[in-house]
């Protein structure tokens, strides 16, 4: 009897979909069916193992992949998928931060500044502090701030080895103040604040 969740998968894909509890590592090249395997795995967990949808987190790199995966799972599963967490890293983090905003220095209706907004803030901070933007280019300062956030460093955590590091720290500090005044975050904040939230508030 054909199994709609497995019948068009090769043996390796079937093994990944039906694997037991614990981690499953799937290594495969582009176009080899990774999204199909992940989608079937989600459906398999819900349909065959009775895993509640709200206990599942599925993370993708793009919004398009998230929508595609969600549509596929919805079409395969007969049960309610309410509560499933499915989206990009940034979308997951934003959802978590909105839900747990009482632990954070902004309100749950925060806005997310895009790259142009971020660069405008950096330029404004540089102007306010009378920093020479020919020597300390706004794009370079913004890139340094982004790198610090990706290393989970606040302005106070940044190592100061050069004068440029001091400039970046000063601009970073002012940049964060301006974000806070607008009840805003940037894309790097979504990841950094979510990581800190999980580290500092186990509950």
């Amino acid at each position: 009897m054909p199994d709609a969740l497995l019948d068009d998968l090769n043996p390796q894909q079937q093994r990944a979909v039906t694997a037991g509890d614990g981690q499953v590592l799937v290594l495969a090249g582009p176009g080899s069916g990774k999204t199909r395997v992940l989608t079937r795995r989600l459906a398999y967990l819900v349909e065959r193992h009775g895993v509640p949808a709200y206990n599942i987190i599925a993370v993708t790199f793009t919004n398009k992949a998230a929508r595609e995966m969600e549509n596929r799972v919805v079409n395969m599963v007969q049960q309610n998928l309410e509560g499933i967490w499915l989206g990009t890293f940034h979308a997951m983090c934003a959802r978590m931060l909105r839900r747990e905003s009482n632990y954070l220095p902004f309100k749950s209706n925060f806005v997310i500044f895009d790259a142009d907004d971020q660069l405008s803030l950096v330029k404004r901070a540089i102007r306010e502090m009378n920093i020479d933007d020919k020597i300390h280019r706004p794009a370079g300062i913004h890139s340094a701030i982004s790198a610090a956030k990706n290393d989970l460093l606040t302005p106070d955590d940044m190592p100061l080895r050069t004068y440029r590091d001091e400039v970046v720290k000063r601009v970073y500090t002012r940049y964060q103040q301006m974000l806070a005044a607008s009840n805003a975050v940037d894309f790097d904040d979504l990841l950094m604040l979510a990581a800190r939230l999980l580290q500092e508030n186990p509950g």
Side-chain angles (χ1 to χ4, degrees), residues 78-91:
Q78 306 304 313
Q79 299 177 41
N80 185 352
L81 289 176
E82 188 177 342
I84 193 169
W85 282 46
L86 201 158
T88 63
F89 286 101
H90 290 95

Side-chain angles (χ1 to χ4, degrees), residues 5 12 17-18 20-23 28 34 39 41 44 58 86 91 95 102 104-106 109 130 140 149 168 195 200:
L5 290 179
Q12 292 88 351
V17 169
T18 60
D21 292 343
Q23 298 85 357
K34 291 186 298 296
T39 305
R41 175 84 173 151
Y44 189 83
L86 201 158
R95 181 175 174 180
N102 53 314
L104 302 163
F106 45 76
N109 63 343
N130 294 316
K149 289 185 180 189
V168 170
E200 294 166 13

Side-chain angles (χ1 to χ4, degrees), residues 73-202:
V73 175
V74 165
N75 289 332
M76 274 186 270
V77 174
Q78 306 304 313
Q79 299 177 41
N80 185 352
L81 289 176
E82 188 177 342
I84 193 169
W85 282 46
L86 201 158
T88 63
F89 286 101
H90 290 95
M92 295 288 179
C93 291
R95 181 175 174 180
M96 188 186 313
L97 295 176
R98 289 191 197 283
R99 181 179 283 189
E100 305 295 341
S101 62
N102 53 314
Y103 291 107
L104 302 163
F106 45 76
K107 299 185 185 86
S108 64
N109 63 343
F110 61 83
V111 294
I112 302 168
F113 276 15
D114 65 17
D116 291 340
D117 296 326
Q118 294 166 38
L119 193 55
S120 292
L121 278 192
V122 169
K123 287 177 180 175
R124 204 170 103 205
I126 287 172
R127 266 196 317 272
E128 279 182 13
M129 292 187 269
N130 294 316
I131 294 168
D132 186 343
D133 65 0
K134 301 287 187 287
I135 297 171
H136 303 285
R137 301 263 182 205
I141 299 289
H142 178 252
S143 181
I145 291 170
S146 178
K149 289 185 180 189
N150 281 295
D151 286 336
L152 305 182
L153 299 175
T154 67
D156 292 336
D157 300 325
M158 290 183 66
L160 301 178
R161 292 180 286 270
T162 65
Y163 177 67
R164 184 175 186 278
D165 292 343
E166 290 179 32
V167 170
V168 170
K169 177 179 177 169
R170 285 171 53 213
V171 175
Y172 184 1
T173 300
R174 182 65 187 126
Y175 173 78
Q176 290 304 114
Q177 290 167 351
M178 290 189 288
L179 282 173
S182 298
N183 193 40
V185 297
D186 64 21
F187 288 109
D188 296 314
D189 283 329
L190 294 175
L191 304 179
M192 181 174 84
L193 291 168
R196 285 182 167 259
L197 181 70
L198 292 169
Q199 287 169 346
E200 294 166 13
N201 303 280

Side-chain angles (χ1 to χ4, degrees), residues 63-74:
N63 289 317
K64 182 183 174 194
R67 283 191 301 272
E68 185 179 326
M69 190 179 291
E70 186 170 19
N71 290 337
R72 287 188 196 181
V73 175
V74 165

Side-chain angles (χ1 to χ4, degrees), residues 1-8 40 44 48:
M1 180 174 162
D3 186 331
L5 290 179
L6 303 174
D7 62 0
D8 61 343
R40 300 295 175 84
Y44 189 83
R48 306 289 161 80

